[in-house]
Amino acid sequence: MFAYHKDEEFCSNCEIELNSLAERCKGMQAAAIVSSDGFVVSTFGRLKDGGNRLGSMTSSMQALAEAVHEELGMGDNEYITFKSSDGNLVMSRVHDLPLVITALFNDRETVGHAIFSVKQTVDQICGGMPK
Amino acid sequence: MSENVILIAGPMGAGKTTAIRSLSDSEVVSTEADNTEMDRVNKPTTTVALDYGEIMLGDEDKIKLYGVPGQRRFDFMWRILEKRALGLIVLINNDAEDPLGEVVYFMEQFSSIYQRGGMVVGVTRSDIKPEPTIGDYVIHMDEHGPHAGVPTFTVDPRSKDHMVMMLYSLLMNIEANQGVQQDVRVSQG
């Protein structure tokens, strides 16, 4: 399995996409793109431990969500949201790639716009993949 | 009907997912992701959250089996699941770089379960690398922990018989330790 987190050019492209996401969503506080087994590819904003712990948790959450979807016969998981009093967290698999994006938004960002923007970023990451 | 939680822990590649698949009466819930550390452990996928299965012991006792991820970066899952656990099976692959160090590491990580006598150890892949021996593990654990006598076995995680034997041994050990603790309380009272 290709280790995206070890590919400097890919990591750099992901960083550009996270910065672009932050430009479109002024309420984005932090974000990370991680491999499906929990390694950090790229981060935005201040994250404890360089985002390593969030990376592992993102990987676990995505896998648990997919297990629940499979158990209930709900089809493929598209995204996960967590709502708190301070804002929303959105997680999404990067289409068929073994990558997951997670982004934290404050309450100035609507959940609809946050999900839409994360999906745009997912498309852009996949669009930039070598053919 | 009673329901209890048993955890299966150990380093990546020790056979935890296989052990749960061997033991479980029901379809196992797995959370596998592509393994990008093939240079470290040569297997295509790795558990990133948990494996879950169930086994009935007799008509009345249901055991819920949770396999935890082996990589240390997922230790937050260990902390979440250990709160609910009655006991712990630690699987150690004998061909690991430092199998004796690994067993002590997991003993320390799950010290609350270990200290109440709720831990057994299963040594896997000893057909590939016969040493250290079971005796080496026992001596090493005795040297590094205050509680002697952690039951230790050579097992094949693909064998339901092996895994059931370990599970029963664990449950009987827990029951015996609970009895001893009650006796101590009575004699002190």
Side-chain angles (χ1 to χ4, degrees):
Chain A
M1 175 53 55
F2 184 69
Y4 288 94
H5 59 284
K6 293 178 182 168
D7 183 325
E8 285 183 19
E9 187 181 348
F10 185 78
C11 293
S12 171
N13 288 340
C14 285
E15 191 176 333
I16 291 167
E17 293 303 339
L18 289 183
N19 286 330
S20 168
L21 176 60
E23 283 294 314
R24 298 194 303 277
C25 299
K26 297 298 182 195
M28 190 172 93
Q29 305 290 289
I33 295 169
V34 305
S35 67
S36 55
D37 62 345
F39 289 103
V40 171
V41 173
S42 183
T43 62
F44 173 87
R46 283 192 181 176
L47 291 169
K48 279 191 289 187
D49 188 25
N52 287 328
R53 197 159 177 81
L54 177 67
S56 300
M57 289 178 162
T58 298
S59 160
S60 298
M61 279 309 308
Q62 181 66 34
L64 281 170
E66 287 172 5
V68 171
H69 275 240
E70 191 176 324
E71 182 75 14
L72 299 176
M74 292 168 68
D76 293 337
N77 171 258
E78 291 189 16
Y79 57 83
I80 307 163
T81 60
F82 294 84
K83 173 84 180 99
S84 79
S85 56
D86 294 338
N88 291 287
L89 185 76
V90 179
M91 289 181 185
S92 171
R93 191 173 273 286
V94 181
H95 292 315
D96 292 335
L97 300 181
L99 297 169
V100 186
I101 179 171
T102 184
L104 172 67
F105 301 89
N106 65 22
D107 56 8
R108 285 184 295 164
E109 203 71 54
T110 65
V111 67
H113 186 246
I115 293 168
F116 173 76
S117 302
V118 167
K119 279 172 165 281
Q120 274 186 323
T121 299
V122 164
D123 289 342
Q124 280 161 2
I125 292 168
C126 289
M129 290 297 294
K131 301 286 185 250
Chain B
M1 185 169 77
S2 74
E3 292 190 350
N4 285 300
V5 169
I6 298 295
L7 301 187
I8 301 185
M12 187 179 176
K16 302 178 294 295
T17 300
T18 303
I20 290 199
R21 288 183 180 152
S22 298
L23 275 171
S24 183
D25 296 331
S26 58
E27 195 177 343
V28 171
V29 175
S30 285
T31 56
E32 300 268 311
D34 294 329
N35 175 26
T36 61
E37 290 184 291
M38 291 282 281
D39 50 337
R40 205 166 77 81
V41 178
N42 186 20
K43 57 180 209 159
T45 61
T46 184
T47 300
V48 294
L50 52 81
D51 295 309
Y52 175 76
E54 295 176 350
I55 182 171
M56 289 298 297
L57 299 179
D59 295 331
E60 295 293 321
D61 298 321
K62 182 193 276 187
I63 300 293
K64 296 180 170 185
L65 301 159
Y66 287 88
V68 302
Q71 300 97 317
R72 290 163 197 195
R73 65 180 183 278
F74 292 107
D75 62 358
F76 61 91
M77 289 299 304
W78 305 356
R79 302 285 82 85
I80 293 168
L81 292 170
E82 75 172 342
K83 291 176 192 160
R84 312 175 56 200
L86 175 71
L88 170 71
I89 295 173
V90 176
L91 294 181
I92 304 288
N93 45 320
N94 222 27
D95 58 347
E97 199 173 305
D98 177 19
L100 296 177
E102 291 284 1
V103 78
V104 170
Y105 177 77
F106 281 95
M107 197 169 90
E108 290 169 351
Q109 286 295 311
F110 293 91
S111 62
S112 62
I113 300 175
Y114 159 72
Q115 284 178 15
R116 62 171 191 259
M119 174 176 152
V120 293
V121 173
V123 179
T124 66
R125 298 173 70 84
S126 55
D127 54 330
I128 292 165
K129 189 166 173 286
E131 290 184 334
T133 64
I134 294 296
D136 295 331
Y137 279 95
V138 171
I139 291 167
H140 199 71
M141 282 189 284
D142 288 354
E143 284 172 354
H144 288 82
H147 303 282
V150 174
T152 305
F153 307 88
T154 300
V155 292
D156 181 343
R158 296 167 296 186
S159 162
K160 180 161 187 162
D161 289 346
H162 284 195
M163 295 314 302
V164 166
M165 178 268 294
M166 271 195 88
L167 182 59
Y168 268 106
S169 301
L170 172 62
L171 294 171
M172 292 174 81
N173 214 42
I174 290 168
E175 201 172 283
N177 278 311
Q178 285 172 343
V180 168
Q181 283 159 12
Q182 280 170 2
D183 290 346
V184 169
R185 280 197 293 273
V186 168
S187 66
Q188 286 173 342

